[in-house]
Amino acid sequence: MSNQPDHSLSDGGLAERMARLIVHGRAPYNAEPPLDRLRASWRTAAADFYVRSHGDLPAIDAEAYRLEVGGAVGRKLSLSLTEIQAMPQATVTATLQCAGNRRADMRAVAPVSGDPWDAGAIGTADWTGPRLADVLAAAGFDRAHAQEDLHVAFACHDTVEGEAYRYGASIPMAKALAPETLLAHAMNGEPLLPEHGFPLRAVVPGYAGVRSPKWLASITVQDRPSDNPIQAGDYKFLPPQVDPDKVGPDDGITIETMPLNSAICEPARGASLPAGLTAVRGYAVCGDRTVARVDVSGDSGRTWAQASLEREAEAPFAWTFWSIDLDLPPGEHELAVRAWDAAGQTQPAAADDTWNRKGYLSTAWHRVRVTVG
Amino acid sequence: MSNQPDHSLSDGGLAERMARLIVHGRAPYNAEPPLDRLRASWRTAAADFYVRSHGDLPAIDAEAYRLEVGGAVGRKLSLSLTEIQAMPQATVTATLQCAGNRRADMRAVAPVSGDPWDAGAIGTADWTGPRLADVLAAAGFDRAHAQEDLHVAFACHDTVEGEAYRYGASIPMAKALAPETLLAHAMNGEPLLPEHGFPLRAVVPGYAGVRSPKWLASITVQDRPSDNPIQAGDYKFLPPQVDPDKVGPDDGITIETMPLNSAICEPARGASLPAGLTAVRGYAVCGDRTVARVDVSGDSGRTWAQASLEREAEAPFAWTFWSIDLDLPPGEHELAVRAWDAAGQTQPAAADDTWNRKGYLSTAWHRVRVTVG
């Protein structure tokens, strides 16, 4: 197994795929699709799926690949890709998104660190592989007699901040055993692309993408969350007054289940539109709850109308597409969208109310200015 | 078994308890405690616990009482109170609240129907009785082989709207089987008071109080949600433009898991306070998620400080108490509170954004004007 980031960046059509995306950085490679293309298909093509990396893109030899399973299990395993593919397979349709999705909207309030993601750091795919619960069972993990408060930690092949450390993260055992949580080797029926974690990644639906590590090297059952700097330090939702460089271990919320959010994908910001009905379309998403209602405004939120919703009943961890035709008079308009979840929670109106220095969990009403006429 | 509402209203100290509360109506009897008394104790005394009734208060003879268990179970049961108390018992500390809690705050936007609840239609208690899952198992319900999408319907002894119909509601089977869901005969270690459902009520933590019926008569396993008008018609969270008298079956969200909310209990609205530090205290609550952070503002939400949180780790379905000392200069101030849940969702700022004609799920920032000075 070797890490060949320079090679992989020009390998297997990656350059062509990069050209399709809005690239925020090449090393680490971070990119998102244009919003109209994102909204064009309820399942996102692998080539249009956002990429969030923290280091190199490891080039892994599938023949030599092994997944190590250890920690508080009955017996350690070292599984080849063929063995993983020979286990009972599940396919889960799930949305993954970056905790920094829509970060760009926070910059109007004050500067934020990190890549300026628009609303495209999100995508939905069919993920196929063994359920993590089955992998743990194969390693002799006995869920009926396990102690409480266990965690499953992932260690990965990608190196972060140069060669400072390998990427890692963990999830609570209850989520690890949930039927939606997989170790995926395929995305939309095809082997993972290098930038999406070939040959194996975790898929933890409903959680921030940071908890679905790519280029998986090992999984370990342990009695504490991951102490990897990615999880223990970086991905914290902090109050606005907290300096990210002076974060104590108890400061902020460790980002895990993703909050309710929604975005307008069409029309684009700044669009000039002909008179007549305007088709407004986008997505809404909520980590572990159903999106129950989406409201769209043609007048900055003074009045609202309900959008039509489109989703798949068998995919509770996937996004909801919404659409509505608005009859906008000639002139400038600020469109806005807000969603409601099944518990009756909605999004805050103002980016001021969600702003934090790292620009995480940007969930205020999404607003798009257009000119009709 | 007899229904004797007039008798029960003067029975067993009820009149004395009514005198302690803010009474919104005597028939049906609806009342809430003053907020400072609510905040004085993390567990709410039964005599201070809000009462929401939809009809009479049935006076039930405990000796003659039977709970009927039927529908899609292995065998019908008819259980005496003694038999119910002889089953394995659980105690769950949980908050219950009315879907109309804080409705009064919506009246500033536009008129709403229903009792004008302040923020006191909520309380927390220790509830004791058999888990509903154990009662179903005793009736031969086989969770491992049951069809999906089953519901447990509750029918009750209280009559609604005169004698029009008996109160009823249902919960999905997954919630019925959850360890937190009980049939409770005791509250804070004492038999239920008549107004809290003597001799037996459902306790469905995290859901709106409407799904924890009192004066339970029967439970039925069935393949559809309750068609009782209480659930099928009344308790709907509707978009503002929908007329509650013209609601179609697909309009609105059937209220179930309660959303994130918070309230300032002290100081009281309109209080005149001495100069110096002001102790601001209240509660925050979220149906099935942890309250992760509470922000308090002394200046209508322009700036915020984080409150200290107080809760019990063993009670995930109970509220969080919060407190902070604010240094307010002389003058008039609008205090505000907002909470954040573990997924990073927060409350909307303006009551306009949550207003609906029935005044349900009033979750905007709670605001209290005071004068320091």
Side-chain angles (χ1 to χ4, degrees), chain A residues 241, chain B residues 39 263-267 273 276-283 293-298 303-310 321-328 335-338:
Chain A
Q241 72 275 14
Chain B
R39 183 56 177 73
I264 297 166
C265 297
E266 299 175 293
L273 305 168
L277 286 180
T278 296
V280 185
R281 311 198 306 163
Y283 66 78
R293 179 177 133 201
V294 174
D295 299 338
V296 180
S297 174
T303 62
W304 299 89
Q306 274 184 265
S308 300
L309 308 185
E310 175 195 342
F321 270 15
W322 57 262
S323 59
I324 192 169
D325 290 335
L326 293 184
D327 190 6
L328 300 170
L335 311 179
V337 64
R338 68 179 184 199

Side-chain angles (χ1 to χ4, degrees), chain A residues 237-241 253 257-260 286 288-289 292-293 306 338 340-346 348 353 361 365, chain B residues 237-241 253 257-260 286 288-289 292-293 306 338 340-346 348 353-354 361 365:
Chain A
F237 181 65
L238 300 171
Q241 72 275 14
I253 303 168
T257 298
M258 285 294 281
L260 181 68
C286 190
D288 59 0
R289 288 181 179 163
R293 181 177 129 200
Q306 275 183 266
R338 69 181 183 198
W340 300 77
D341 69 25
Q345 287 183 220
T346 191
D353 293 328
L361 308 189
W365 299 350
Chain B
F237 181 63
L238 300 171
Q241 73 275 15
I253 303 168
T257 299
M258 285 293 283
L260 182 67
C286 191
D288 57 2
R289 289 181 178 162
R293 179 177 133 201
Q306 274 184 265
R338 68 179 184 199
W340 300 77
D341 68 26
Q345 288 183 220
T346 190
D353 293 328
T354 62
L361 308 188
W365 299 352

